[in-house]
Amino acid sequence: MTHDTEKNNLSLIIPENYALERLDLVLSKLLPDYSRTQLQDWIEAGQVLLNNQPTKTKTKVKGGEIVSIHVTLKPQPEWVAQDLPLNIVHEDEALIIINKAVGMVVHPGAGNADRTLLNALLHHAPSLKDLPRAGILHRLDKDTSGLLVIAKTPAALRSLSSQLKKRSLLREYQAIVYGSFISGGKVDVAIARHHLLRKRMAVNEMGKPAITHYRIAEKFPHLTLLTVRLETGRTHQIRVHMNHIQHPIVGDVIYGGRVKLSKNMTPELIAALRQFKRQALHAFALGLTHPITGEWMRFEIDLPQDMQQLLLALRQDKAHNKA
C-alpha cells in the first residue's frame, strides 16, 4: 500500500485471497484505520477507483485490482478542553473507564455548549481530540450516574464499537422502580423519538429495536430494586421501557410523572421519595474484551450516596411494615 500524504491519496492492490468478496468489506479489512461506513461513503462519492474506474460498494472483487482512494476526513468540532473533575476507575493505553457523576452532561449540545464529560476528557487526554466524539462510545443521561468507557486510540475505538454493535459489551444498571415484581423478565419493544415532544422517546413499533433485561435485586413493600441489562442502547431506553411496563423509575419526572405514594409508607420513606429529584438509575457494571490483550474485564461501582439513602429508607419502611 502507498500513501501520497500531499494529495491524501491511498493506493493498494487487492490480494487474490479476497476474490468474490464485496469491495467495501475487503477495504474495511485492509484499511482498519477507517470504518466501513466511512469507506462506503467514499465509494458512493466516487472517491474510490477500481482499476481507475468508479465503482460500487457491492462490487465483487477478483483479486489483483488496483484501488485508489482519495481520503477526506470530516473536520472535528472545535471542542474546548476544560479542567473539570473526573472519577477515573481505570486507565491504560487503550481505554479509560469513567464513573460519571449525576448532573454531568456527556457530550456538548444544545443548552450544554461546554463543561461536559467530553470537555473534561480533552483536558485529561488531549490526543482524544483526533477521535470521533473524543472516543466516547456510549452515553448516560445527565442525571444517570455510573460507568462509561472511552477509547483512546483508533484501534481501540474500532474494537469497542464492534463489541457494542455485536452486543457483547456488557452494561448493567441498578434502578429503583415503583411496584412489585414476581420475577425478572425482558422488555422487547421498539423505541422512536416522540412524534410531538422531540426531546422525549416513546414506544413505537416503527422505531428501532430495543431490548432490556431485568431481574429482581431486592424487594420492598411498594417498590423494587432491579438489576437491568441493556441488550441494545437506545436513548432513554431503560426509562421508557420501565414506564411502558408500568414500573416507572423513581424520580423520573419525564417518563414516570408524579411521586407515587402508598398508604402504609412511613413518613421517612414518603419524605425520601419526595426529595429524590432525579431518576434512580445507576450504571453499576461494565464488561468488555480489552482491545489489546483480548482479556475480559469487568468493572463495578457502588451506588451513589443519594440512591443508598433511598434504599436505607426503603429497608426501614420494610422492617416497619413487617413489625
Side-chain angles (χ1 to χ4, degrees), residues 225-241:
L225 174 65
L226 294 178
T227 297
V228 182
R229 178 174 61 82
L230 283 180
E231 186 170 326
T232 57
R234 308 303 172 204
T235 301
H236 298 176
Q237 179 174 315
I238 297 173
R239 299 164 64 187
V240 173
H241 274 175

Side-chain angles (χ1 to χ4, degrees), residues 10-24:
L10 285 170
S11 181
L12 56 89
I13 298 174
I14 302 290
E16 301 288 345
N17 59 307
Y18 287 116
L20 302 181
E21 290 193 36
R22 283 174 50 138
L23 176 63
D24 60 339

Side-chain angles (χ1 to χ4, degrees), residues 24-227:
D24 60 339
L25 182 59
V26 172
L27 291 180
S28 69
K29 293 176 181 176
L30 296 176
L31 301 168
D33 284 345
Y34 305 107
S35 71
R36 188 174 172 187
T37 301
Q38 177 70 85
L39 291 163
Q40 288 171 339
D41 288 345
W42 288 335
I43 294 169
E44 295 299 328
Q47 294 172 232
V48 177
L49 301 180
L50 195 66
N51 288 336
N52 278 328
Q53 296 297 318
T55 185
K56 296 181 179 179
T57 56
K58 295 181 181 179
T59 297
K60 297 289 179 68
V61 301
K62 298 175 182 178
E65 299 98 322
I66 298 172
V67 179
S68 303
I69 304 172
H70 178 57
V71 176
T72 55
L73 298 175
K74 294 179 182 178
Q76 294 280 41
E78 288 298 320
W79 293 312
V80 179
Q82 293 176 306
D83 188 3
L84 303 170
L86 282 175
N87 185 347
I88 297 174
V89 175
H90 171 85
E91 181 173 9
D92 58 39
E93 66 271 33
L95 54 85
I96 309 172
I97 306 293
I98 299 286
N99 179 21
K100 188 189 82 68
V102 173
M104 177 173 260
V105 174
V106 171
H107 194 281
N112 297 286
D114 61 2
R115 301 195 66 77
T116 68
L117 175 64
L118 184 146
N119 300 111
L121 286 167
L122 290 179
H123 182 270
H124 173 75
S127 61
L128 292 177
K129 67 179 173 54
D130 298 324
L131 294 177
R133 298 176 303 282
I136 296 172
L137 266 294
H138 55 119
R139 302 188 190 186
L140 294 176
D141 298 337
K142 176 182 177 182
D143 289 330
T144 298
S145 56
L147 296 174
L148 282 166
V149 59
I150 292 91
K152 292 179 68 176
T153 67
L157 186 60
R158 286 192 302 274
S159 171
L160 293 168
S161 296
S162 175
Q163 293 177 50
L164 197 61
K165 187 175 182 180
K166 292 175 181 177
R167 303 179 182 180
S168 61
L169 193 142
L170 175 73
R171 290 166 293 164
E172 287 191 321
Y173 295 69
Q174 289 191 308
I176 301 172
V177 303
Y178 288 105
S180 300
F181 290 78
I182 297 172
S183 64
K186 176 175 77 170
V187 187
D188 185 355
V189 289
I191 291 175
R193 197 158 294 281
H194 196 285
H195 68 291
L196 292 176
L197 306 171
R198 304 306 292 170
K199 290 185 178 180
R200 292 181 57 168
M201 307 302 288
V203 167
N204 184 331
E205 63 180 14
M206 301 302 291
K208 293 181 179 179
I211 302 172
T212 303
H213 302 266
Y214 62 88
R215 63 182 188 272
I216 298 167
E218 193 169 353
K219 288 186 177 184
F220 305 101
H222 317 288
L223 296 95
T224 306
L225 174 65
L226 294 178
T227 297

